[in-house]
Amino acid sequence: MIQKYVYGNPFSTDAVTVQMEAAEGAPQFGQLCTDEGFCFTYEMGKEDIVYGLGEANRGINKRGFRYVSDCADDPNHTEDKNSLYAAHNFIIVAGKETFGMFFDYPSVITFDIGYTNLDKLKVSCAHADMNLYVITGETPYDIVKQFRKIIGRSFIPPKFAFGFGQSRWGYVTKDDFRTVAQKYHESRIPLDMIYMDIDYMQDYKDFTLNEENFQEFPAFVQEMKDQHIRLIPIIDAGVKVEEGYDIYEEGVANNYFCKRADGTDFVAAVWPGDTHFPDVLNKDARKWFGDHYSFLIDQGIEGFWNDMNEPAIFYSTEGMTEIKEMLKKFSEEGEKGVPMFHLMGKIMSMSNSHEDYKRFYHNVDGKMVCHEDVHNLFGYNMTRAAGEAFERLVPDKRILMFSRSSYVGMHRYGGIWTGDNKSWWSHLLLNLKMMPSLNMCGFLYTGADLGGFGADTTEDLVLRWLALGVFTPLMRNHAARGTREQECYQFDHIEDFRSVVETRYRLIPYLYSEFMKAALNNDLYFKPLSFVYPEDEIAVRVEDQLMLGDEIMIAPVYTQNAKGRYVYLPEEMMFVKFGRDGEITEKVLEKGLHYVEVALHEVPMFIRKGKCVPVVASAECVDDLDSTAPELIGYAGSEYTMYEDDGVHKDYENPKNYRVLRK
Ligand code: GLC
């Protein structure tokens, strides 16, 4: 059952798509106070587990830390960080009482989950203006499904998006892209997408192409498609301030940019230098910005990634003026005028500052709303701008879209990638743990920068991370400018990379089926073990293995120099390893703890007792996979219902999409 409680005057986020009457009285769990801001407190039982929060730091069980929903462009995802790029304010308390809560609140909100007091849950924010949804159900899994129903169907990408993608910030010319395609081809490693980072644009201007490097772009898009490669360009939030640039001129003329209190357009510096932010919370501006994606769609582009949409601000005009004044004072009066640590502090905090978020406004149905009060909705609405435009521009076709920043509700318009991680083993594990939480909040098409974005990677880290990426819907290798090159062909053992990536392609019919079933039934693609084995006291605490669909469990290796890992089996399972040249080894293992060896080129997975999984031959790209007669691996006598459609259009409800396969 779901009850909605309304406090004060909530901003309408459109996160929830179902109309509900407000309930009377107070929620049956915990205490709620709205005297000074909003505060919910709950005494947790010692054994209670808290799930949720989507894209957030740390574990699947969120207990023992403080998380702050405050969409932030912070590339250092260390263990102490409270905020990442997203705001997914849904939690489930499971234990002495089991319930879920969605705090539909668009600004900064803090989840103190046993941080200040070990057994106390405290959710608080500055204003008591909120829609609060309280969900009761038999199990956390049941609560998640109820929640998913009220927030609407998750975004479904085209099928090619289940292929492997290569990205790097630093591909500049057509030849850079050609080289990537050619090297993958020569290495006989499948590839479906190459991502275009900001360098494809002219001076980092949205909806432009670099004039020197991308002449005759449609022909180039086609040239790549002829090699089975789709180009996926990035779109950034900030629109460059430049006379004569059509997007800038249109935005200014129509008041489509975010404004200061005095009515002038707010200026924030990002990659292009000074920019204005499109006011994506304003319906008209949203439509206008979204329609501009047609610039690239019309040239043959079928997918995008939306970036810097927290929105990221390197500095504002106001912030820079303050710093200049401090510097002047320092140069005239030295430490006496401005102590160095003040100056340093000011410079260090000039990016993505709440001082700046307080300086600009959105026009929402004629009312000026301060950005600070709706901060967490920007990335969501930028992606919504695109999603709504795709519905108008190409209504029958699926367009790939994923975003860096997000709020619940955005899951209907796009997936997400988890932003600027590092080439650290700990981030491989963080990637794994984040996946089920993201799914709980509706984000199914998700993945991390495989190999790590920042810092120099190593061959073994890329291989192990790819072996996890085999199972994440978004499988993309991406790295930052200036870091070690990490395309699969850059390393010694190309054949190892081939077997890992080929495993992905062999499993696409299965992974796609499970993704589609999860999307169409408001279900989870990745589940914590506790959702499947709630009675198993060991399984409920396992955080480094995940259930995928109804058939398999994954347990990637995430430790350097390890020859394998320990894995806990809550029931008998078939341990499967994918090796070179299509080799598959199978071994039935009993319930309990096992050490399994996994070489760098191998991909391990576990098939649940009585289940089977379809496997096909690998191919150069998704379109070339032949799934007419998949091989079934797993338990004899089992059957599997496979979902298949053309992967392009939206004929999701057709019963012909399902096929029962028997082993
Ligand atoms: C941001 C993105 C990253 C991208 C870079 C340059 O840091 O998160 O993926 O490569 O900007 O556009």
Side-chain angles (χ1 to χ4, degrees):
M1 192 177 69
I2 307 186
Q3 293 210 285
K4 176 183 180 182
Y5 298 88
V6 180
Y7 301 97
N9 193 9
F11 184 87
S12 170
T13 66
D14 294 339
V16 170
T17 51
V18 174
Q19 293 283 339
M20 288 169 67
E21 290 291 317
E24 301 281 322
Q28 68 184 101
F29 308 100
Q31 262 101 46
L32 221 144
C33 180
T34 55
D35 295 345
E36 277 173 67
F38 174 96
C39 183
F40 168 80
T41 51
Y42 178 76
E43 197 68 40
M44 297 183 285
K46 289 255 175 287
E47 302 293 314
D48 287 4
I49 293 179
V50 179
Y51 297 100
L53 294 185
E55 185 184 299
N57 214 346
R58 301 212 176 193
I60 295 175
N61 183 351
K62 306 313 286 186
R63 256 184 108 143
F65 199 53
R66 189 163 52 101
Y67 306 87
V68 182
S69 289
D70 178 12
C71 297
D73 165 32
D74 180 347
N76 294 307
H77 312 163
T78 46
E79 214 182 308
D80 56 327
K81 288 297 164 73
N82 305 108
S83 308
L84 299 176
Y85 305 91
H88 302 156
N89 304 333
F90 172 55
I91 56 168
I92 304 145
V93 176
K96 71 175 167 50
E97 294 177 300
T98 295
F99 59 95
M101 284 185 143
F102 174 49
F103 300 83
D104 189 7
Y105 180 80
S107 188
V108 176
I109 177 165
T110 300
F111 295 81
D112 181 334
I113 310 180
Y115 166 78
T116 307
N117 303 100
L118 205 56
D119 295 327
K120 212 175 231 143
L121 164 69
K122 184 173 164 197
V123 182
S124 57
C125 55
H127 302 290
D129 296 310
M130 172 185 305
N131 287 317
L132 171 65
Y133 297 83
V134 179
I135 311 174
T136 47
E138 288 290 294
T139 60
Y141 190 12
D142 169 39
I143 289 168
V144 168
K145 286 201 221 162
Q146 291 186 57
F147 175 59
R148 291 278 304 284
K149 240 187 221 154
I150 62 162
I151 58 173
R153 179 182 285 175
S154 299
F155 164 76
I156 298 175
K159 193 170 182 185
F160 74 76
F162 288 81
F164 176 52
Q166 181 61 57
S167 186
R168 180 174 178 85
W169 175 15
Y171 302 150
V172 175
T173 63
K174 282 183 189 166
D175 278 344
D176 291 340
F177 291 90
R178 287 184 178 122
T179 304
V180 176
Q182 190 194 335
K183 294 254 169 136
Y184 268 97
H185 184 72
E186 283 166 11
S187 309
R188 289 183 289 117
I189 299 175
L191 187 71
D192 267 86
M193 291 155 285
I194 307 180
Y195 288 79
M196 306 184 85
D197 208 320
I198 47 174
D199 299 298
Y200 81 86
M201 302 181 206
Q202 179 65 41
D203 304 323
Y204 307 134
K205 288 185 291 195
D206 279 340
F207 313 118
T208 67
L209 290 158
N210 186 283
E211 287 153 20
E212 196 184 324
N213 297 323
F214 290 103
Q215 299 271 329
E216 293 171 44
F217 190 59
F220 181 59
V221 173
Q222 191 54 49
E223 176 191 323
M224 296 309 278
K225 275 193 200 175
D226 292 343
Q227 299 172 53
H228 322 289
I229 303 285
R230 262 108 173 170
L231 294 171
I232 313 293
I234 194 171
I235 302 291
D236 277 2
V239 171
K240 185 173 170 64
V241 172
E242 187 184 273
E243 302 281 316
Y245 164 39
D246 54 350
I247 317 289
Y248 164 78
E249 300 276 357
E250 288 168 20
V252 170
N254 295 296
N255 293 312
Y256 286 159
F257 292 128
C258 293
K259 298 211 177 270
R260 300 189 177 100
D262 67 4
T264 56
D265 292 326
F266 176 73
V267 180
V270 204
W271 304 122
D274 285 353
T275 70
H276 292 326
F277 292 137
D279 185 0
V280 285
L281 270 72
N282 166 343
K283 283 192 205 80
D284 299 331
R286 193 159 68 228
K287 176 171 186 304
W288 160 75
F289 192 76
D291 281 342
H292 277 292
Y293 284 78
S294 63
F295 170 74
L296 290 156
I297 291 178
D298 291 348
Q299 305 194 56
I301 291 297
E302 296 172 78
F304 301 88
W305 44 312
N306 275 351
D307 191 23
M308 307 302 273
N309 50 7
E310 293 67 37
I313 300 179
F314 295 166
Y315 59 87
S316 67
T317 309
E318 290 87 339
M320 186 51 94
T321 307
E322 286 167 15
I323 285 174
K324 281 183 187 157
E325 275 159 16
M326 278 176 112
L327 276 169
K328 188 162 170 264
K329 207 156 185 224
F330 181 80
S331 67
E332 285 164 3
E333 300 169 35
E335 288 268 355
K336 256 201 219 125
V338 185
M340 190 50 156
F341 70 94
H342 274 189
L343 184 57
M344 295 283 284
K346 183 78 187 168
I347 293 172
M348 302 287 279
S349 61
M350 75 195 291
S351 298
N352 310 312
S353 103
H354 275 276
E355 287 312 303
D356 285 333
Y357 294 141
K358 287 178 190 145
R359 287 187 171 117
F360 64 94
Y361 293 79
H362 299 273
N363 175 350
V364 184
D365 300 323
K367 204 173 143 233
M368 297 312 275
V369 177
C370 183
H371 177 77
E372 173 74 5
D373 296 333
V374 287
H375 171 64
N376 290 336
L377 302 181
F378 195 93
Y380 162 21
N381 281 282
M382 178 189 175
T383 301
R384 183 180 179 182
E388 289 174 343
F390 301 158
E391 285 293 328
R392 290 190 299 274
L393 299 167
V394 274
D396 300 331
K397 211 177 143 174
R398 303 183 222 169
I399 301 284
L400 170 60
M401 162 56 73
F402 56 90
S403 169
R404 193 169 73 175
S405 187
S406 60
Y407 184 86
V408 171
M410 201 204 82
H411 69 287
R412 301 191 296 271
Y413 304 99
I416 56 176
W417 94 101
T418 57
D420 299 346
N421 60 11
K422 293 251 186 341
S423 297
W424 296 343
W425 291 85
S426 59
H427 278 181
L428 195 175
L429 184 56
L430 182 63
N431 177 184
L432 179 74
K433 291 182 181 183
M434 221 187 266
M435 290 293 121
S437 312
L438 284 167
N439 282 198
M440 291 177 204
C441 297
F443 294 92
L444 296 184
Y445 189 76
T446 57
D449 288 349
L450 303 172
F453 175 76
D456 291 336
T457 199
T458 55
E459 178 165 353
D460 54 348
L461 179 56
V462 183
L463 279 166
R464 292 299 197 197
W465 212 329
L466 285 172
L468 163 60
V470 160
F471 299 101
T472 60
L474 166 63
M475 185 191 190
R476 178 177 81 144
N477 175 340
H478 180 46
R481 180 183 273 284
T483 58
R484 178 177 182 181
E485 292 176 309
Q486 63 185 45
E487 294 83 1
C488 297
Y489 52 79
Q490 305 285 0
F491 300 101
D492 287 342
H493 302 93
I494 291 178
E495 66 285 4
D496 288 359
F497 288 85
R498 186 182 310 126
S499 40
V500 173
V501 179
E502 280 186 350
T503 302
R504 162 66 164 217
Y505 282 74
R506 306 195 69 196
L507 283 167
I508 283 176
Y510 175 68
L511 302 174
Y512 183 70
S513 280
E514 291 311 301
F515 180 93
M516 292 303 292
K517 289 181 206 165
L520 299 175
N521 302 315
N522 299 312
D523 208 333
L524 297 170
Y525 173 88
F526 283 125
K527 292 187 270 278
L529 269 58
S530 59
F531 279 32
V532 181
Y533 307 99
E535 306 300 331
D536 184 323
E537 283 179 21
I538 298 174
V540 294
R541 299 278 161 179
V542 169
E543 298 225 349
D544 59 356
Q545 304 169 202
L546 298 176
M547 306 309 294
L548 190 169
D550 279 336
E551 287 72 23
I552 68 171
M553 181 176 82
I554 63 164
V557 177
Y558 54 87
T559 316
Q560 188 158 32
N561 300 319
K563 288 183 76 179
R565 58 164 287 173
Y566 281 97
V567 56
Y568 176 70
L569 269 49
E571 61 175 327
E572 178 199 298
M573 289 187 188
M574 186 180 285
F575 173 43
V576 176
K577 271 197 290 193
F578 292 86
R580 277 190 234 294
D581 303 321
E583 184 203 349
I584 296 176
T585 57
E586 300 173 350
K587 188 177 176 194
V588 172
L589 298 177
E590 283 164 33
K591 171 183 157 92
L593 191 65
H594 299 266
Y595 185 84
V596 294
E597 289 202 355
V598 183
L600 283 175
H601 69 278
E602 290 174 329
V603 179
M605 72 178 206
F606 299 82
I607 301 180
R608 293 178 64 188
K609 191 169 181 193
K611 309 270 186 188
C612 65
V613 165
V615 175
V616 297
S618 182
E620 250 185 79
C621 63
V622 173
D623 288 343
D624 285 359
L625 289 170
D626 178 1
S627 59
T628 44
E631 177 192 349
L632 289 167
I633 55 167
Y635 286 85
S638 57
E639 55 180 46
Y640 178 69
T641 304
M642 188 157 95
Y643 176 97
E644 230 177 350
D645 56 19
D646 71 3
V648 176
H649 300 100
K650 300 179 179 173
D651 187 21
Y652 304 133
E653 321 298 336
N654 192 338
K656 288 201 188 120
N657 295 344
Y658 296 89
R659 184 158 43 123
V660 179
L661 306 171
R662 292 193 175 79
K663 178 157 169 86

